[in-house]
Amino acid sequence: MKKISVIGLGLIGGSLAVCLKKNPEAEVWGYDREERRLTKGLELGIIDRAAASLEEAVEGADLVVLATPIATIQELLKTLSGYSLKPGMIITDVGSTKSSIVSLASEVLSRHEVTFIGGHPMAGSHKSGVEAANPLLFENAFYVLSPTEKTPEEKVKELEELLAPTRAQFIYLDPKLHDQVVGMISHFPHLVAGLLVNQVERLHGENPWYHRLAAGGFKDITRIASSNPDLWRDVTLDNRENLLRIIDSWNRDMEVLKESLIQEDGERIRAFFERAALFRNGLPERNAGALRPLNDLYLDIPDRPGEIGKITTLIGEMGINLINIEILELREDIMGVLRLSFRNGADRDRVRDRLAKLGYTLYQRE
């Protein structure tokens, strides 16, 4: 029986624990500084056993998963270095930056006969906490593993086999390359979204129409601005060198656009939008990326009493959880009157097919 310990029972840690429990040869332990999470984890069957301390959790473990925010992962690595760790143990993490964590692990764990392999499951949810643990969270999502040149291949294979119940797509990226790529496609967009929303918030103080009309496409492209501020403070600071380079590049490109506007260079502006459209339209449609996809459905409904209730009742009878519903007043660049939001694409597609058969006109954003 293998002992697997998950440190940190939030959404990611809890979902990993649920998946890892599918291995009949594994006993999944959990540890969290919040006793409430441990109690809930046991109550919901997310973990097999709750550890009273971090030391108890890792004692004799074959795999330790550090499923906490980045700053806490770094603290935990330093603490673990002072423990007696089982030879052959694998330690991994779920942080969205890799270079600093992998480097620190190499430094502080060097005296132990253990293997650290950085990890980053690219999956998430609008929900949080151990109560939101979902065994399907990682299915078909990219799961980055960041071994170094010194990492034994057999240990990488062993980790992938232990994580196999997640049904994720495992990819291997050098820690530095990971941070460069994810910095551009995930971390920087969070900064941009925050800037856009904060700018509208300032303008809202001058005129309330900014707030009222900030719906539709604006709300979609800035949804990630609702992310946990403490988590994203740590992420952006930890990946600051890459982000500073990206910001410099962004500023240069913005100056080119500014000059095009000053010169009224319509051809250059058109070429800018054309290039963006061509690349964006070629992005994979089904693969889960670094940012959580939108699982929204838009539809036209007759303006008559009970129509919305009829649709929500039908969805409930299908056993599908509708996570949000919105009547759209501003529909610039959006077809449809009603927006329905679902936990995943499979639920959305089932509802789409059912409503289509009933004669509703439906739309999805590409």
Side-chain angles (χ1 to χ4, degrees):
M1 183 69 71
K2 288 184 177 294
K3 178 179 177 180
I4 298 177
S5 292
V6 178
I7 313 302
L9 292 181
L11 169 69
I12 300 297
S15 298
L16 277 173
V18 171
C19 291
L20 294 169
K21 275 191 66 177
K22 294 178 182 178
N23 183 348
E25 298 180 357
E27 183 178 51
V28 178
W29 288 57
Y31 174 72
D32 196 288
R33 291 173 179 173
E34 293 188 27
E35 188 174 342
R36 178 194 65 80
R37 290 186 175 183
L38 281 175
T39 302
K40 200 68 178 177
L42 282 172
E43 181 183 308
L44 296 174
I46 290 170
I47 55 175
D48 295 312
R49 299 186 65 176
S53 66
L54 175 64
E55 189 167 14
E56 182 184 13
V58 302
E59 183 181 7
D62 297 282
L63 171 64
V64 173
V65 182
L66 306 180
T68 66
I70 291 171
T72 307
I73 290 171
Q74 294 168 338
E75 291 176 15
L76 288 168
L77 285 170
K78 295 174 183 176
T79 302
L80 291 180
S81 69
Y83 293 163
S84 176
L85 303 178
K86 179 181 178 179
M89 174 190 291
I90 296 176
I91 304 173
T92 189
D93 75 306
V94 302
S96 60
T97 59
K98 293 275 68 78
S99 294
S100 64
I101 292 173
V102 171
S103 177
L104 177 64
S106 175
E107 176 187 342
V108 301
L109 299 176
S110 59
R111 71 180 185 87
H112 296 277
E113 296 178 34
V114 301
T115 301
F116 181 86
I117 302 172
H120 178 198
M122 292 187 171
S125 169
H126 66 289
K127 296 182 178 180
S128 61
V130 67
E131 297 89 349
N134 179 5
L136 301 178
L137 185 66
F138 310 104
E139 187 168 343
N140 295 321
F142 286 127
Y143 197 126
V144 178
L145 296 179
S146 290
T148 67
E149 294 178 355
K150 298 180 180 179
T151 307
E153 288 186 18
E154 63 271 17
K155 285 297 180 181
V156 178
K157 184 178 180 180
E158 182 181 348
L159 176 59
E160 186 173 332
E161 289 175 350
L162 289 170
L163 293 173
T166 63
R167 302 188 68 181
Q169 298 183 48
F170 295 101
I171 59 175
Y172 302 95
L173 288 178
D174 171 82
K176 290 184 178 179
L177 177 59
H178 167 277
D179 290 357
Q180 290 169 9
V181 174
V182 177
M184 183 70 249
I185 64 174
S186 175
H187 304 168
F188 184 63
H190 277 81
L191 293 180
V192 173
L195 280 170
L196 284 170
V197 173
N198 286 338
Q199 191 164 23
V200 169
E201 188 271 338
R202 286 195 299 271
L203 293 169
H204 167 63
E206 302 171 12
N207 192 315
W209 277 107
Y210 283 99
H211 180 273
R212 186 169 181 183
L213 296 183
F218 182 86
K219 198 170 181 181
D220 282 348
I221 66 173
T222 59
R223 64 187 171 86
I224 53 177
S226 298
S227 301
N228 184 309
D230 293 326
L231 183 153
W232 282 99
R233 173 200 59 202
D234 293 347
V235 169
T236 52
L237 286 174
D238 200 67
N239 204 18
R240 62 189 178 278
E241 291 183 8
N242 284 311
L243 286 173
L244 287 171
R245 284 193 290 270
I246 293 168
I247 290 171
D248 286 341
S249 176
W250 171 278
N251 287 337
R252 289 192 295 270
D253 289 345
M254 192 62 77
E255 283 298 320
V256 172
L257 275 175
K258 179 180 176 181
E259 187 61 28
S260 298
L261 290 170
I262 291 172
Q263 298 297 325
E264 298 184 35
D265 190 341
E267 186 55 39
R268 177 181 281 185
I269 293 171
R270 182 191 179 283
F272 162 79
F273 285 115
E274 182 179 42
R275 181 181 179 186
L278 283 171
F279 185 80
R280 197 267 182 191
N281 291 340
L283 294 175
E285 293 185 14
R286 292 292 181 182
N287 290 358
L291 297 178
R292 181 169 56 88
L294 292 171
N295 294 307
D296 292 346
L297 192 62
Y298 301 84
L299 67 153
D300 291 328
I301 58 171
D303 185 10
R304 60 190 180 212
E307 196 64 30
I308 294 177
K310 176 182 174 182
I311 292 170
T312 55
T313 298
L314 182 146
I315 294 172
E317 290 174 347
M318 294 174 68
I320 291 175
N321 182 31
L322 184 63
I323 64 173
N324 195 22
I325 184 169
E326 180 181 11
I327 299 173
L328 301 174
E329 291 181 310
L330 180 67
R331 296 194 292 277
E332 182 181 12
D333 195 35
I334 294 177
M335 300 294 288
V337 175
L338 192 69
R339 184 213 303 257
L340 305 174
S341 300
F342 300 91
R343 181 176 59 83
N344 55 52
D347 287 349
R348 177 201 59 205
D349 292 348
R350 283 181 59 202
V351 171
R352 178 197 62 205
D353 295 344
R354 182 71 177 276
L355 292 177
K357 289 179 180 178
L358 294 175
Y360 288 96
T361 303
L362 303 131
Y363 312 93
Q364 284 179 227
R365 298 203 70 165
E366 297 297 330

